[in-house]
Amino acid sequence: DTGVSQDPRHKITKRGQNVTFRCDPISEHNRLYWYRQTLGQGPEFLTYFQNEAQLEKSRLLSDRFSAERPKGSFSTLEIQRTEQGDSAMYLCASLEGGRAATQYFGPGTRLLVL
Amino acid sequence: QKEVEQNSGPLSVPEGAIASLNCTYSDRGSQSFFWYRQYSGKSPELIMSIYSNGDKEDGRFTAQLNKASQYVSLLIRDSQPSDSATYLCAVRGGGFKTIFGAGTRLFVKA
């Protein structure tokens, strides 16, 4: 257990539905990342926060995806109008410190869109 | 060209052998380099980090970095069946964005 928690751990939804995932980082960590990982691939960068500011968002991310970190603590990732191609593991990671600092990953949320 | 490239494998080595995993990256401004291990169905866990050219050793693991060649490697000595996993190379540039390779699957045969 790294101290990063994610909820839910599993989500099954029907195509077209909206889903929201939550990530609670290690409490003193000011940077938070969201990644998506599909089978046989490495984690794909989605977005990154420093405190409450969303500093970067992947160009691959469609307008159906939105993320927030309202008070610089927990973060949510929402996917609107889900598609079957959204089925993946969604990983959250946090870090504190400089560019050499370690990212700690949460257990992930596995999404299946039917 | 992918930003971080790894041979997908699988790489199969006998127990006790040295496993050699390789990674190349495209951004010459990259500053920090990481190797993660990921077991099936689990999230990545950090094995090694390296920031300067040369070798860095930690137990059975040695990371090697050559910035001129844009190349990072991980050597696992005395490989054990429990080392069987996917190994992810990750690269962080001047900001805090971290890019991962697709990973190399390693099988250590008992």
Side-chain angles (χ1 to χ4, degrees):
Chain A
D1 183 1
T2 62
V4 180
S5 61
Q6 292 187 246
D7 184 70
R9 296 289 303 276
H10 303 272
K11 179 71 176 179
I12 300 175
T13 191
K14 293 182 179 179
R15 189 176 52 186
Q17 298 295 304
N18 298 343
V19 295
T20 300
F21 308 142
R22 176 177 170 129
C23 171
D24 286 87
I26 296 171
S27 60
E28 63 268 24
H29 286 191
N30 63 346
R31 295 185 176 89
L32 185 148
Y33 298 76
W34 284 100
Y35 293 90
R36 176 174 62 189
Q37 187 175 26
T38 54
L39 195 63
Q41 299 298 314
E44 176 189 14
F45 173 81
L46 295 180
T47 191
Y48 147 63
F49 291 85
Q50 179 174 321
N51 298 314
E52 66 274 12
Q54 187 174 20
L55 296 188
E56 190 164 351
K57 184 176 177 179
S58 170
R59 292 189 300 271
L60 301 174
L61 217 57
S62 75
D63 291 342
R64 297 184 298 106
F65 287 73
S66 63
E68 293 183 341
R69 194 182 184 199
K71 296 183 180 179
S73 56
F74 73 92
S75 176
T76 58
L77 176 69
E78 181 182 17
I79 309 174
Q80 296 181 327
R81 306 181 302 282
T82 52
E83 301 172 356
Q84 288 183 324
D86 297 330
S87 296
M89 174 78 87
Y90 290 83
L91 293 164
C92 174
S94 70
L95 71 83
E96 172 72 12
R99 295 184 181 88
T102 299
Q103 277 183 317
Y104 293 92
F105 281 87
T109 295
R110 187 171 295 280
L111 172 67
L112 177 61
V113 181
L114 300 177
Chain B
Q1 181 189 5
K2 292 184 179 179
E3 294 179 79
V4 179
E5 295 208 46
Q6 298 181 251
N7 186 329
S8 63
L11 173 65
S12 184
V13 300
E15 184 175 358
I18 296 175
S20 178
L21 306 164
N22 304 315
C23 170
T24 58
Y25 60 94
S26 60
D27 183 359
R28 285 196 170 274
S30 300
Q31 299 181 3
S32 304
F33 307 86
F34 306 88
W35 283 99
Y36 284 82
R37 177 175 61 199
Q38 186 174 29
Y39 293 112
S40 180
K42 302 295 185 182
S43 57
E45 56 178 334
L46 182 73
I47 298 176
M48 294 280 291
S49 56
I50 188 166
Y51 316 109
S52 304
N53 281 328
D55 296 358
K56 179 180 178 182
E57 186 175 321
D58 184 359
R60 296 186 296 114
F61 300 95
T62 299
Q64 299 174 317
L65 174 61
N66 184 327
K67 289 186 178 180
S69 300
Q70 295 174 245
Y71 176 88
V72 193
S73 67
L74 179 70
L75 298 177
I76 306 175
R77 289 182 300 281
D78 188 25
S79 295
Q80 301 298 308
S82 59
D83 294 327
S84 298
T86 295
Y87 289 80
L88 299 165
C89 174
V91 176
R92 187 177 299 158
F96 286 86
K97 180 179 176 180
T98 306
I99 302 298
F100 284 78
T104 298
R105 287 181 296 152
L106 172 66
F107 292 108
V108 180
K109 299 174 293 185

